[in-house]
Amino acid sequence: MTTVTIPELCLVALVGISGSGKSTFARRQFAPTQVLSSDAFRALVADDENDQSASAEAFDALHYIAGKRLRAGRLTVVDATNVQAHARKALVDLARAHDVLPVAIVLDVPESECWARTELRPDRDFGRPVLSRQHRDLRRSLKHLGREGFRQVHVLRDVAEVESAVVAYEKLFNDKKELTGPFDIIGDVHGCREELELLLDRLGYVLARDAAGRPADARHPDGRTAVFVGDLVDRGPDSPGVLRLVMGMVAAGHALCVSGNHEAKLLRALRGVNVKRTHGLQETLDQLETDAELGAVLPAFLDGLISHYVLDGGRLVVAHAGLKEAYHGRASGRVRAFALYGDTTGETDEYGLPVRYPWAQEYQGAATVVYGHTPVPAAEWVNNTICVDTGCVFGGALTALRYPSRELVSVPAVRAHYEPVRPLVVPVPEERGLDIADVTGRRTLETPAGRVTVAAENAAAALEVMSRFAVDPRWLVWLPPTMAPASTSAVEGYLEHPVEALTDYAKAGVPRVVCEEKHMGSRAVLVVCRSAAAGERRFGGSGGGAIYTRTGRPFFPPPIETALLDRVRAAAGGLFDELGTDWLLLDAEVLPWSAKAEPLIREQYASVAAAAGAALPAAVAALTAAAGRGIDVASLRARFTGRVTSMAAFTDVYRQYCWPTDGLDGLRLAPFHVLAGEGASYLRQDHEWHLAMVDRLVAADDLFAPTRRLVVDPASPADVAAATDWWLELTAAGGEGMVLKPAVDAGPRVQPALKCRGREYLRIIYGPDYLTRLDQLRARGLQRKRNLALREQGLGLAALDLLAAGGSTRAVHQLVFALLACESEPVDPRL
């Protein structure tokens, strides 16, 4: 058996003359979706796989589909003869364009065997000379495949070897997704061995020394792994000492290291390449001359350093100069150059150094990218990327990022070992603004709840709302998802009831449910910063925060908003300290309902009540007079009398949620989620934690309204009965009803909340006399609303996760826009 080992991600070119068995080999070794056959594409464009006149169009389509697969990171196999150099060049160019390795698998089957097979196929009508020409082309090609750019060439030299061959896969060297950490990612050391020892000690590593007392390894008692971002050498006082320590850690499995541009240049110098011995290289070579033992093994170590690592299931990427998302996990000279040197504009600055393109300002990837290369005064997050080169060799500090906790640990430089060409304090370019292309057209986004597709027409509706009415987009970092109702109740006289709501969660396996009173107000999202400076620093907006509606519109005019945020800021002082953040994102309800919905109440509810109040009593009086004259109108009179009663109840319901306000006087704020803070998304926390946090706000200021609740086991009959009694008590006192939420994180596939509204309240939803139509209303369909709630919850979770990770405003807004776009789905708004 012959094993053909290829990379998991590559472009495979099958090479062989007609009849060599390429298609049979492909069917046996690869999935049908991985194989692109030239015959199949000729059939697609010309309805005849043997129509050679269609070859140009067929290969054009084949290359297009191959490019789409490679861009998505999928193994692609091209089944064609590929015996001519120009055909192979197109495939090598395609692989390079997508930064994957081109691989050739040659089926070198004797021409006589191929001709015998061809004669047995009625769909092959070409003569033996065609096959002979292909065979000559193949013989000429074999010795050139490596020079043509194929990174691997596997030749199967006869029928038996082809039939016994088995394709196996190997991961790329940069693929370390199985390593999940925790990691300590250390910035550019540049020969500063003393500072490296201090940093490792502060991180908790235990140094091991060789017989000469030199540090030769370091391990962490908790199994943490150090990851070095490169540039271990040059400029500093002890590059050999740094190399010895890092090489020992890597050899022992205690560390990983990627190549920096200084390691690449040192390797070239050690191999005798004529390079400029500047930027500390000569000092490193001089230091290495006194350590022959290290010098003997150093070239092999440097040669083994790769461009970048993809770690923790693809959630972490480490590269010396950073790496844009399209290059993650790819292998090419272009990827290596970007990882070593960054993306330069081709220009030089006033110090003679390359001007680097600010790739991090446009980064929107899900993976955290940690890098060094260009020293900065302090490590700061930019769009889920962070540079940890804080210029130790120039007198700054040596910095490590603890992953996944995102804690930064630094030690100051013992002294400045080298004078920088360019000062460390450099202006940080502003983040690129929003781009309309990010939020228009049909889009598919990944969320914790799965993929969410946004229709183009829904995106257009969201853009209309956002562009005309939304708050400053720098504050618009999250919108609340819609809430689904519980299953329709079968209890006599009720459309919604706690029994069905709790049964829904019991069936989903939720062990504890929080039943909390539903405040009848208007949903509001608050971004509250500890100070205006903190808001400017984190969001780029002025004023220290914002409060907006569930569709992103300003909730209050500026004077009221400012006064409200000041009260919230003062009450949240303890939370800022406890959660270690300068800003908080809160989900709340603003009371009364009339504070925001007064025009709606006046035009839709009060006008109906006024009309009914004028018309219905007159109708009842007329019917009463008719009955007095002996006309049989008893049933009609009873119906209108019932409507009078229903309208009175309808009027009583909405009036309970209206009262006068003047500025902050009369306003109440009922928060129920602390959604996020600096570096943290809290929505997955147990819901009791959220309520405990907001209880602190209630205790601090009477502006905040408390949220009464009851925690129950949805599978316990006694708990269900207690929750039902509590709900009946709430609604009898005029309450809207209650919201049920899993007390623990139940995952993105379980409804995050179910509303169970009171019987009287539903009059303002389904009409004053809806109770006479219960049988009809029980047939209402809930599934579309429930699916919508889960999709919006997934988008909201993704937005919060990205916000906590320091994601770009553009990337966060794609999710926020998508959430608002989902609200344009044709779903019954009464549900």
Side-chain angles (χ1 to χ4, degrees):
M1 182 181 72
T2 301
T3 301
V4 177
T5 304
I6 64 175
E8 288 182 342
L9 173 58
C10 62
L11 174 62
V12 178
L14 298 182
V15 182
I17 68 175
S18 296
S20 59
K22 299 184 300 300
S23 297
T24 302
F25 179 84
R27 282 193 297 271
R28 188 169 65 245
Q29 302 294 343
F30 303 103
T33 54
Q34 294 174 324
V35 180
L36 305 181
S37 164
S38 59
D39 288 346
F41 275 86
R42 268 189 290 269
L44 284 172
V45 301
D47 293 329
D48 182 359
E49 66 180 35
N50 294 312
D51 185 355
Q52 297 301 312
S53 67
S55 290
E57 296 295 331
F59 276 101
D60 185 51
L62 185 152
H63 292 157
Y64 177 79
I65 297 299
K68 292 294 185 182
R69 288 185 56 83
L70 295 174
R71 181 179 299 173
R74 294 184 173 88
L75 175 75
T76 302
V77 180
V78 177
D79 175 14
T81 58
N82 292 319
V83 295
Q84 295 179 313
H86 71 86
R88 296 190 299 271
K89 181 179 184 303
L91 297 180
V92 171
D93 291 346
L94 187 64
R96 287 174 173 167
H98 294 88
D99 303 290
V100 302
L101 300 179
V103 174
I105 300 179
V106 183
L107 279 64
D108 188 13
V109 176
E111 180 188 339
S112 58
E113 174 65 25
C114 295
W115 177 244
R117 293 173 178 177
T118 301
E119 286 189 302
L120 295 175
R121 294 185 59 177
D123 60 336
R124 292 291 188 263
D125 58 359
F126 53 82
R128 180 73 178 263
V130 172
L131 216 60
S132 297
R133 185 174 64 251
Q134 291 180 357
H135 191 259
R136 288 193 301 272
D137 289 339
L138 176 63
R139 305 314 305 171
R140 285 194 295 266
S141 299
L142 283 176
K143 59 183 177 182
H144 299 301
L145 293 176
R147 292 199 295 271
E148 288 177 1
F150 287 100
R151 296 292 292 272
Q152 293 182 9
V153 178
H154 303 275
V155 182
L156 305 175
R157 297 197 176 275
D158 54 39
V159 173
E161 196 168 14
V162 171
E163 292 180 349
S164 67
V166 174
V167 173
Y169 300 95
E170 62 183 359
K171 297 193 303 180
L172 293 175
F173 293 141
N174 57 42
D175 185 354
K176 297 291 183 182
K177 297 187 186 75
E178 74 280 5
L179 301 181
T180 58
F183 300 109
D184 298 305
I185 307 165
I186 298 174
D188 300 35
V189 182
H190 278 302
C192 300
R193 177 191 54 78
E194 187 175 356
E195 288 88 343
L196 177 57
E197 289 188 45
L198 291 171
L199 179 61
L200 289 171
D201 179 69
R202 182 166 295 184
L203 291 167
Y205 287 78
V206 178
L207 286 170
R209 300 183 182 273
D210 61 14
R214 300 171 300 188
D217 188 15
R219 61 175 295 276
H220 199 285
D222 297 333
R224 299 180 69 90
T225 301
V227 185
F228 293 90
V229 303
D231 277 7
L232 305 173
V233 300
D234 296 348
R235 296 179 174 142
D238 192 2
S239 290
V242 172
L243 287 167
R244 186 179 299 104
L245 175 54
V246 174
M247 290 168 65
M249 294 177 70
V250 171
H254 301 149
L256 299 169
C257 183
V258 299
S259 179
N261 59 299
H262 283 260
E263 280 77 44
K265 190 174 182 181
L266 174 59
L267 178 60
R268 294 198 301 274
L270 293 175
R271 287 176 169 172
V273 178
N274 184 21
V275 297
K276 292 183 179 180
R277 300 191 174 194
T278 55
H279 304 299
L281 176 59
Q282 185 60 58
E283 289 87 340
T284 298
L285 293 171
D286 293 343
Q287 293 166 12
L288 287 171
E289 284 184 357
T290 63
D291 196 331
E293 181 183 354
L294 179 64
V297 297
L298 181 57
F301 171 75
L302 297 176
D303 188 51
L305 296 178
I306 62 172
S307 65
H308 70 285
Y309 280 121
V310 181
L311 303 161
D312 192 21
R315 288 179 284 272
L316 173 64
V317 172
V318 178
H320 174 62
L323 206 63
K324 61 183 182 181
E325 186 179 21
Y327 291 170
H328 294 180
R330 302 298 175 112
S332 71
R334 179 168 61 174
V335 171
R336 183 173 180 84
F338 193 110
L340 289 181
Y341 306 105
D343 196 4
T344 61
T345 65
E347 302 171 313
T348 56
D349 61 16
E350 65 270 30
Y351 304 102
L353 298 176
V355 176
R356 306 195 185 281
Y357 189 81
W359 66 271
Q361 301 296 327
E362 298 183 1
Y363 181 74
Q364 299 184 58
T368 298
V369 180
V370 186
Y371 63 102
H373 186 52
T374 303
V376 293
E380 292 186 356
W381 288 99
V382 178
N383 297 341
N384 205 20
T385 77
I386 189 168
C387 176
V388 290
D389 178 7
T390 48
C392 179
V393 75
F394 302 125
L398 187 60
T399 297
L401 172 74
R402 290 185 180 271
Y403 178 91
S405 65
R406 293 176 169 248
E407 175 190 358
L408 290 167
V409 179
S410 297
V411 295
V414 173
R415 61 185 178 278
H417 304 283
Y418 200 90
E419 188 65 30
V421 175
R422 178 172 50 200
L424 287 187
V425 180
V426 293
V428 178
E430 293 185 5
E431 180 183 325
R432 179 179 168 186
L434 304 182
D435 190 330
I436 194 170
D438 293 337
V439 297
T440 52
R442 180 181 172 88
R443 292 170 292 129
T444 299
L445 299 114
E446 295 288 344
T447 79
R451 290 183 177 180
V452 174
T453 298
V454 179
E457 58 271 24
N458 293 349
L463 186 61
E464 171 73 9
V465 172
M466 291 289 191
S467 61
R468 295 183 62 190
F469 307 113
V471 297
D472 184 332
R474 289 172 290 190
W475 298 117
L476 196 57
V477 293
W478 184 79
L479 289 175
T482 191
M483 192 188 317
S487 294
T488 300
S489 177
V491 178
E492 182 64 31
Y494 290 90
L495 186 61
E496 297 178 8
H497 196 276
V499 169
E500 281 75 17
L502 290 166
T503 300
D504 287 342
Y505 278 131
K507 289 178 179 178
V510 178
R512 291 195 335 275
V513 171
V514 177
C515 304
E516 61 183 49
E517 68 172 314
K518 191 173 190 306
H519 297 284
M520 182 50 183
S522 302
R523 194 76 170 267
V525 179
L526 292 87
V527 186
V528 186
C529 302
R530 191 192 290 263
S531 65
E536 176 72 27
R537 182 172 59 251
R538 177 59 182 84
F539 297 98
S542 60
I547 175 170
Y548 51 87
T549 70
R550 69 181 313 274
T551 56
R553 306 178 187 217
F555 205 105
F556 293 114
I560 299 179
E561 178 183 73
T562 300
L564 179 65
L565 290 174
D566 286 344
R567 293 274 293 272
V568 176
R569 183 178 298 113
L575 294 187
F576 287 133
D577 295 332
E578 181 176 336
L579 299 176
T581 181
D582 283 339
W583 61 272
L584 289 171
L585 181 64
L586 304 176
D587 188 10
E589 197 88 359
V590 173
L591 311 175
W593 185 32
S594 54
K596 189 63 181 174
E598 184 176 347
L600 173 71
I601 296 168
R602 184 173 57 250
E603 295 168 13
Q604 181 169 315
Y605 294 95
S607 60
V608 170
L616 289 177
V620 170
L623 290 169
T624 301
R629 294 196 299 271
I631 302 173
D632 184 10
V633 292
S635 61
L636 187 60
R637 180 187 176 199
R639 188 165 46 155
F640 272 82
T641 301
R643 285 185 174 180
V644 171
T645 303
S646 296
M647 280 305 308
F650 170 87
T651 306
D652 289 343
V653 170
Y654 79 76
R655 282 180 174 171
Q656 292 182 77
Y657 311 126
C658 305
W659 61 79
T661 61
D662 182 13
L664 292 188
D665 293 339
L667 283 179
R668 304 294 302 281
L669 189 65
F672 38 83
H673 282 126
V674 179
L675 295 164
E678 186 62 42
S681 170
Y682 301 119
L683 195 53
R684 293 181 181 84
Q685 289 271 16
D686 291 358
H687 191 58
E688 292 169 273
W689 177 89
H690 286 273
L691 294 176
M693 291 291 107
V694 300
D695 281 347
R696 306 254 294 276
L697 299 176
V698 173
D701 191 327
D702 61 8
L703 169 71
F704 296 95
T707 297
R708 293 172 289 175
R709 65 265 196 181
L710 187 68
V711 181
V712 300
D713 176 356
S716 165
D719 281 10
V720 172
T724 300
D725 290 343
W726 187 65
W727 177 77
L728 290 170
E729 180 184 333
L730 282 176
T731 55
E736 178 185 344
M738 67 184 184
V739 177
L740 299 91
K741 300 176 182 177
V744 297
D745 180 21
R749 302 289 184 179
V750 174
Q751 289 292 339
L754 292 173
K755 54 188 174 184
C756 183
R757 296 165 290 186
R759 187 166 75 160
E760 292 303 311
Y761 171 80
L762 287 175
R763 292 184 188 276
I764 64 174
I765 302 299
Y766 288 105
D769 56 353
Y770 84 99
L771 290 172
T772 63
R773 298 179 287 111
L774 274 184
D775 290 341
Q776 176 187 351
L777 290 173
R778 285 193 173 112
R780 60 185 184 160
L782 304 180
Q783 196 56 47
R784 184 186 288 266
K785 177 77 167 184
R786 290 183 167 185
N787 291 340
L788 181 63
L790 289 177
R791 294 204 307 274
E792 291 188 8
Q793 171 73 356
L795 290 166
L797 281 169
L800 291 177
D801 290 345
L802 194 58
L803 179 68
S808 69
T809 302
R810 290 178 61 195
V812 173
H813 269 268
Q814 288 185 52
L815 296 159
V816 175
F817 265 80
L819 200 155
L820 184 59
C822 286
E823 286 293 296
S824 300
E825 289 283 332
V827 176
D828 186 347
R830 300 173 299 174
L831 292 177

